[in-house]
Amino acid sequence: MIRTLIVDDSAFMRMAIRSMLASSSDIKIVGDACNGKEAVEKAKKLHPDIVIMDVNMPVMDGLTAVKTIMNTDPVPIIMFSTLTTEGSKEALEALHLGAIDFTAKSESHHDVNKAEKELVDKIRSIHSSNPNILRLINMRKFKGEVVRGKWRCAGDFGILIGSSTGGPSSLEQVIPRLPGDLPAPVFVVQHMPEGGFCRQLAERLNFLSELEIKEARNNEKVTTGVVYIAPGGYHMTVRKALDVTRIKLIKGQPVHAVMPAVDVTAESMLNVYGKNIVASILTGMGFDGASGFKKIRDAGGSTIACSEDTCVIFGMPKAAIEAGAIDVVKPIFEIPEEIVNKLEAKCNGK
């Protein structure tokens, strides 16, 4: 039984969430709270398995509540908020503070069933994955130096980073430590719904990094030393024509139930960069990336997975390892150095 605490200042929304979860026999609602202060108190008293948290509330807002709970009684928290520009910014800040994921509130009757399924699926998946919340908190405290490389490159090179649940905090451990003179573009596939979230993530990482980080745009020319984050709701591919590589965003069908998907980007990169790819998979549920990383490794590319002891959710890295798709397994804080070393070796023909 997954013991769940609901936190929202709207009585209507608390009832709506109860209704969403009522048909799931494996989810038990152990209580609700109408503000962040009450949420902190009930999380301490009830010891829920998962907390569903609103952002904007009186007395104490959701962000303060997340920070307080993580410092006192860490528990997986799913933010349940609107995906407006401001809502995306707040959701990203919540993830930075320790929340493990977020789900968008439905803005129309048409979206209610979709929101219900997404919320139930995330509650089940996160609970079954047994995420290491303390590890997520401790990861944020590690601040390493930028890793420098010596480049003598001939040819085109590409870097791929894939992540899902737990990804934003993991990306903050990797991207800012890559050097500004990186002789390759970086393509980031972070599982996220359509909306402003990926743009906000790009802006945050850009502030922290030497590299330029941006949300990818359709038909954009690819440049070395730039990090392109796939926008939510689109697959990101790369194509080369007349010696120019461009990004092609595809509004297609989900792959492994996600869009963007790591596998889609990985396979398109092979057509452009061949063996000159360095790919790393960080964290997340499911098995997206396993197939694409196996093809990259088989083609002579280098593949890296985050180690279980420093991974928030070991699903995607584990699936890639078990598929024989990974060259080396490293702790999250050693992955930037591994990316630079692998790229340096490829650039210098070693």
Side-chain angles (χ1 to χ4, degrees):
M1 192 68 71
I2 309 170
R3 304 173 74 256
T4 305
L5 174 65
I6 299 170
V7 185
D8 201 297
D9 63 324
S10 164
F12 172 80
M13 187 53 65
R14 293 196 301 273
M15 288 299 298
I17 297 171
R18 279 183 175 272
S19 178
M20 287 180 183
L21 305 181
S23 60
S24 302
S25 59
D26 56 334
I27 299 174
K28 178 182 180 181
I29 298 167
V30 294
D32 56 29
C34 62
N35 59 60
K37 183 175 182 293
E38 192 176 345
V40 172
E41 293 168 353
K42 290 198 173 182
K44 190 176 186 67
K45 178 182 178 182
L46 299 173
H47 301 293
D49 297 314
I50 283 184
V51 176
I52 301 168
M53 180 84 71
D54 188 22
V55 174
N56 297 308
M57 297 179 290
V59 185
M60 180 188 287
D61 63 32
L63 298 183
T64 306
V66 169
K67 184 176 181 180
T68 305
I69 290 171
M70 289 301 155
N71 287 333
T72 56
D73 300 276
V75 61
I77 297 176
I78 300 174
M79 304 307 292
F80 198 51
S81 182
T82 56
L83 274 185
T84 60
T85 300
E86 187 59 33
S88 298
K89 188 174 183 179
E90 291 167 338
L92 180 60
E93 179 62 22
L95 296 182
H96 176 71
L97 292 171
I100 196 164
D101 209 341
F102 76 88
T103 296
K105 286 182 178 178
S106 59
E107 297 181 357
S108 68
H109 292 297
H110 175 72
D111 294 331
V112 170
N113 288 340
K114 180 182 175 183
E116 177 180 333
K117 183 180 185 306
E118 184 176 350
L119 184 59
V120 170
D121 286 349
K122 286 190 175 183
I123 289 172
R124 287 173 174 160
S125 297
I126 290 169
H127 181 68
S128 65
S129 299
N130 191 26
N132 194 316
I133 300 303
L134 288 174
R135 185 177 297 152
L136 179 62
I137 297 166
N138 290 331
M139 273 170 45
R140 302 199 320 269
K141 299 176 182 176
F142 181 84
K143 303 294 180 186
E145 299 295 321
V146 173
V147 182
R148 303 296 174 187
K150 296 178 180 178
W151 323 108
R152 293 191 303 274
C153 295
D156 294 332
F157 300 83
I159 296 170
L160 170 63
I161 299 176
S163 58
S164 184
T165 306
S169 292
S170 299
L171 289 169
E172 284 192 25
Q173 298 299 310
V174 175
I175 301 294
R177 297 186 59 210
L178 298 177
D181 65 346
L182 204 67
V186 181
F187 303 98
V188 174
V189 180
Q190 164 68 43
H191 294 166
M192 278 299 155
E194 196 166 355
F197 181 87
C198 290
R199 190 177 308 111
Q200 297 290 340
L201 177 61
E203 290 176 4
R204 184 184 189 95
L205 290 172
N206 191 60
F207 176 76
L208 298 171
S209 308
E210 290 186 2
L211 293 163
E212 178 186 359
I213 292 96
K214 62 197 301 187
E215 185 180 51
R217 291 180 288 116
N218 190 44
N219 212 36
E220 181 173 9
K221 183 180 177 180
V222 172
T223 306
T224 60
V226 178
V227 179
Y228 301 94
I229 299 181
Y234 291 84
H235 292 304
M236 178 170 66
T237 65
V238 289
R239 298 176 188 173
K240 189 173 184 178
L242 301 176
D243 255 1
V244 177
T245 301
R246 296 185 183 276
I247 288 173
K248 297 292 182 183
L249 300 179
I250 300 171
K251 188 70 171 175
Q253 294 298 314
V255 174
H256 313 309
V258 294
M259 187 165 60
V262 179
D263 278 339
V264 173
T265 302
E267 291 184 22
S268 76
M269 287 179 68
L270 277 167
N271 296 326
V272 175
Y273 301 104
K275 66 179 182 179
N276 293 335
I277 298 173
V278 178
S280 179
I281 196 155
L282 303 183
T283 177
M285 298 174 283
F287 52 88
D288 183 29
S291 171
F293 273 51
K294 181 69 165 62
K295 291 175 183 177
I296 288 172
R297 189 185 189 200
D298 289 347
S302 298
T303 54
I304 309 160
C306 184
S307 64
E308 183 174 8
D309 61 335
T310 62
C311 186
V312 182
I313 292 184
F314 195 52
M316 286 166 57
K318 181 181 180 183
I321 293 167
E322 290 179 346
I326 298 299
D327 289 319
V328 62
V329 178
K330 289 286 183 178
I332 187 71
F333 47 81
E334 292 183 14
I335 286 179
E337 183 176 3
E338 192 67 23
I339 290 173
V340 169
N341 289 345
K342 295 287 189 187
L343 183 63
E344 187 178 71
K346 287 186 174 296
C347 281
N348 299 339
K350 295 180 182 177

